[in-house]
Amino acid sequence: MSKAIRVHVHGGPEALVYEDVDPGRPGRGEVLVRHTAIGLNFIDVYFRTGLYPAPAGMPVTPGGEAAGVVLEVGEGVDRLKPGDRVAYAVPTGAYCERRVIAADKLVEVPEGIGDEQAAAMMLKGMTAEYLLLRTFKVKPGDTILYHAAAGGVGLILGQWARHLGATVIGTVGSAEKAEIARAHGFDHVVNYRDQDFVAEVAAITGGRKCDVVYDSVGNDTFPASLDCLKPMGTFVSFGQSSGPIPPFSISLLAQKGSLYATRPTIFAYNARREDLVRSAEALFDVVLKGAVEIRINQRYALRDAAQAHADLEGRKTTGATVLIP
């Protein structure tokens, strides 16, 4: 038996139960992994509350990213062997000491990247990759707006976007978070609590506005985000930490300047093995080059996942957080 966090009934952080679970043995095409570090992400909250349905039903073990060591491989797995360092990003299942997982979901962690780094950056870093390189291909000279700049994805994306030659504007909710964002690639930071971010973006850009807005906040930043885009700009909604965006008429996009809008997910972008590998390789490359630094700002024991969730929802965390089994 090993320990895991499971949700039997949807609810608040108290719904996270630390209990014994049998991870089982790997079948064909599967691998048994011992986790050394587990990433914390807001999507974990969505599965805990029931906002997102659990892929395999209830009870659900939250957790979308982790790093660890291969303990055992199942039949047909020849790419991996016991002792290999691996990491992954999937919808659920990571909040545990050990788990069986499909081998094709795993990538090998290169030398130079630690386990905590890998666990903290797989979901967040590959999210930044598909947003910057595939959803909207950021190029030198582009201007982007990113909401929740001091969050886990934001601190990676800000550095990466600057590396790509973009002008990077971010929004945050405090002076402390503004300083953190500036230290991670953001050229301009707007405190939305005491500034109108639409007016600030207009001032920063001299009225030219942005090529793309990346928004994981949702309800609180819509439709104002559309007013930050230049004609034919792209609105990318990839989360809803403040609640879902309410239904709107598609004609609004025409009224705001013939805008594009998309609601992408990492799991669609990396559904194919070759896309997953390319995404991970691009992430590892910018980290190993030093263009993107992965800092672990908070650590919690796995058994304290409820406190980690409470702090995350209370906006008490910044950047990357890991749970340690």
Side-chain angles (χ1 to χ4, degrees):
M1 301 295 281
S2 69
K3 292 292 187 181
I5 297 286
R6 294 206 292 180
V7 176
H8 295 267
V9 179
H10 294 131
E14 71 283 353
L16 299 170
V17 181
Y18 187 64
E19 60 189 16
D20 290 322
V21 175
D22 182 1
R25 298 283 300 280
R28 183 173 184 81
E30 295 180 330
V31 172
L32 176 64
V33 175
R34 175 179 61 81
H35 290 150
T36 51
I38 302 156
L40 176 75
N41 295 278
F42 217 96
I43 192 174
D44 306 344
V45 173
Y46 299 159
F47 284 113
R48 188 202 77 216
T49 62
L51 180 63
Y52 287 1
M58 300 288 280
V60 60
T61 294
E65 62 182 351
V69 178
V70 174
L71 293 181
E72 184 180 351
V73 300
E75 183 182 354
V77 177
D78 51 17
R79 182 177 53 84
L80 296 169
K81 64 183 184 304
D84 284 347
R85 296 173 61 232
V86 293
Y88 64 84
V90 297
T92 60
Y95 285 14
C96 58
E97 293 176 335
R98 301 183 181 194
R99 78 175 296 182
V100 170
I101 187 171
D104 64 3
K105 300 297 183 185
L106 300 172
V107 295
E108 294 178 74
V109 179
E111 289 295 322
I113 294 179
D115 286 9
E116 288 190 5
Q117 273 189 309
M121 75 182 190
M122 294 306 296
L123 186 64
K124 291 178 278 288
M126 290 195 295
T127 295
E129 182 277 328
Y130 85 77
L131 291 174
L132 291 170
L133 304 186
R134 290 185 279 167
T135 303
F136 179 91
K137 296 182 180 180
V138 172
K139 61 186 182 301
D142 284 344
T143 300
I144 75 173
L145 173 64
Y146 184 91
H147 290 301
V153 177
L155 297 189
I156 295 173
L157 186 141
Q159 297 175 79
W160 203 334
R162 174 179 278 186
H163 177 65
L164 292 172
T167 296
V168 195
I169 306 170
T171 66
V172 297
S174 71
E176 177 189 8
K177 290 185 176 182
E179 289 305 310
I180 293 170
R182 290 190 185 96
H184 287 79
F186 286 87
D187 299 290
H188 308 276
V189 184
V190 179
N191 186 336
Y192 64 82
R193 294 192 187 279
D194 53 29
Q195 295 173 292
D196 178 341
F197 70 80
V198 175
E200 292 298 317
V201 165
I204 290 166
T205 62
R208 293 183 299 275
K209 302 185 181 181
C210 300
D211 297 277
V212 59
V213 173
Y214 295 113
D215 183 14
S216 65
V217 175
N219 182 69
D220 288 357
T221 48
F222 188 86
S225 288
L226 303 184
D227 294 322
C228 295
L229 287 165
K230 61 180 61 172
M232 283 78 75
T234 301
F235 174 65
V236 183
S237 171
F238 68 102
Q240 50 194 46
S241 61
S242 69
I245 290 173
F248 65 94
S249 171
I250 197 168
S251 65
L252 181 63
L253 302 178
Q255 297 165 17
K256 297 291 185 179
S258 295
L259 304 179
Y260 296 89
T262 183
R263 180 60 170 88
T265 71
I266 185 176
F267 305 115
Y269 272 79
N270 286 350
R272 299 187 306 170
R273 171 72 187 172
E274 54 265 40
D275 292 327
L276 168 64
V277 171
R278 278 196 292 266
S279 182
E281 287 177 346
L283 173 61
F284 291 149
D285 180 61
V286 291
V287 172
L288 289 171
K289 284 179 177 176
V292 173
E293 181 182 2
I294 307 297
R295 297 180 186 174
I296 312 300
N297 290 346
Q298 296 85 207
R299 294 172 176 83
Y300 299 81
L302 176 61
R303 67 170 63 245
D304 296 328
Q307 184 61 55
H309 272 227
D311 290 347
L312 178 65
E313 291 180 277
R315 301 180 186 242
K316 296 178 180 178
T317 64
T318 59
T321 301
V322 293
L323 306 177
I324 306 300

